[in-house]
Amino acid sequence: MAAVAAFDLYRFFHAREAETLALRGVSLTLESGELVAVVGPSGSGKSTLLTCLAGLDEPDGGHVEVLGQRLTRRPEAERARIRAAAIGVLMQSDNLIPTLTVADNVMVPMRLASCVDTTRVDLLLSRVGLTERRHARPGQLSGGELARAGLAVALAATPSVLLADEPTGEVDALTEARILEFLQAECVSGMAILIATHSVAIGARADRVVRLRDGRIVDA
Ligand SMILES: Nc1ncnc2c1ncn2[C@@H]1O[C@H](COP(=O)(O)OP(=O)(O)OP(=O)(O)O)[C@@H](O)[C@H]1O
Ligand SMILES: [Mg+2]
């Protein structure tokens, strides 16, 4: 059974006269333990694909399955339940609750999945290099720190599927390498990881690279 699968996804956006075809028939399967990079120019549909896979957005056509369960066209409460149990999501912004500290933000998905584990909070913060910043609030963090804190939140409940949009967009090469090493270790324990990225280093270390252009998967 696939960890996550997309079947012929379409997503259109309308603004006045203009229509953007953000996804035009994208199909994709990730098995447990796979690390896949989604690459493509800005505007090619990477974030749209990730939000549809996470059930945070509904595709206009096609559907998504997570661990064999259909996620698409279900009531939001059901999608939220499936997401809390199986999916970790890091988007390009707004991953953290502004009024909570970094450590308390990491606890949120654990509470939702009924798996509070303070040892894992410490481990995650250490792995993303934020132990010293655990009591800071999101407004006090740099761009790279926000992305790393968001990644710790996405990984908090040990999801079966991690969907990460530019997790290392604003970090230096050494920090990126450390984060990648950690994500690869999570894959070995069975997590399926999809990373949208412009990073050549991530593309090189991924098991597979999926290229998007104008909302379609293209060959290398
Ligand atoms: N909510 C929206 N309303 C209108 N158009 C949108 C919306 N979200 C995305 N788009 C458009 O859909 C296309 C795909 O956007 P998307 O954010 O998926 O690209 P991306 O590959 O993630 O780009 P980047 O590398 O810059 O993050 C773009 O043309 C974008 O302008
Ligand atoms: Mg994007």
Side-chain angles (χ1 to χ4, degrees):
M1 179 176 53
V4 61
F7 299 89
D8 211 18
L9 292 186
Y10 283 80
R11 184 72 176 104
F12 308 135
F13 294 109
H14 303 271
R16 301 198 184 165
E17 311 292 272
E19 186 183 45
T20 305
L21 310 176
L23 295 178
R24 314 194 225 189
V26 172
S27 297
L28 180 73
T29 302
L30 255 82
E31 302 296 336
S32 157
E34 255 193 318
L35 193 152
V36 176
V38 180
V39 302
S42 181
S44 58
K46 302 182 298 294
S47 297
T48 307
L49 174 62
L50 260 62
T51 48
C52 286
L53 289 175
L56 292 168
D57 189 17
E58 280 280 62
D60 294 299
H63 75 281
V64 172
E65 286 180 13
V66 175
L67 301 174
Q69 247 190 320
R70 182 174 48 79
L71 184 64
T72 309
R73 280 177 285 282
R74 277 183 187 272
E76 168 55 26
E78 285 181 30
R79 279 188 276 149
R81 183 180 49 74
I82 296 171
R83 200 160 46 236
I87 309 175
V89 195
L90 171 75
M91 300 319 308
Q92 277 178 299
S93 61
D94 303 322
N95 293 294
L96 303 173
I97 298 172
T99 50
L100 298 182
T101 65
V102 168
D104 285 341
N105 266 287
V106 177
M107 302 274 269
V108 170
M110 293 181 171
R111 293 218 165 86
L112 290 174
S114 307
C115 62
V116 173
D117 176 351
T118 52
T119 311
R120 184 162 172 84
V121 175
D122 295 343
L123 171 81
L124 287 168
L125 291 178
S126 149
R127 288 295 155 84
V128 301
L130 286 178
T131 302
E132 310 291 315
R133 304 295 277 138
R134 60 182 296 133
H135 299 301
R137 285 177 213 280
Q140 302 166 316
L141 300 181
S142 72
E145 287 172 340
L146 278 173
R148 285 183 280 144
L151 186 62
V153 170
L155 287 164
T158 320
S160 300
V161 180
L162 173 72
L163 304 168
D165 205 343
E166 291 284 2
T168 60
E170 294 186 61
V171 305
D172 57 274
L174 183 64
T175 308
E176 178 176 68
R178 281 176 46 201
I179 289 174
L180 203 48
E181 208 171 287
F182 177 46
L183 291 180
Q184 284 182 314
E186 295 282 6
C187 276
V188 170
S189 340
M191 198 179 283
I193 302 186
L194 189 66
I195 303 179
T197 185
H198 292 282
S199 160
V200 175
I202 294 185
R205 305 257 310 251
D207 296 316
R208 193 149 53 90
V209 176
V210 171
R211 282 172 209 284
L212 281 184
R213 191 183 305 142
D214 294 334
R216 284 201 184 94
I217 294 182
V218 292
D219 293 331

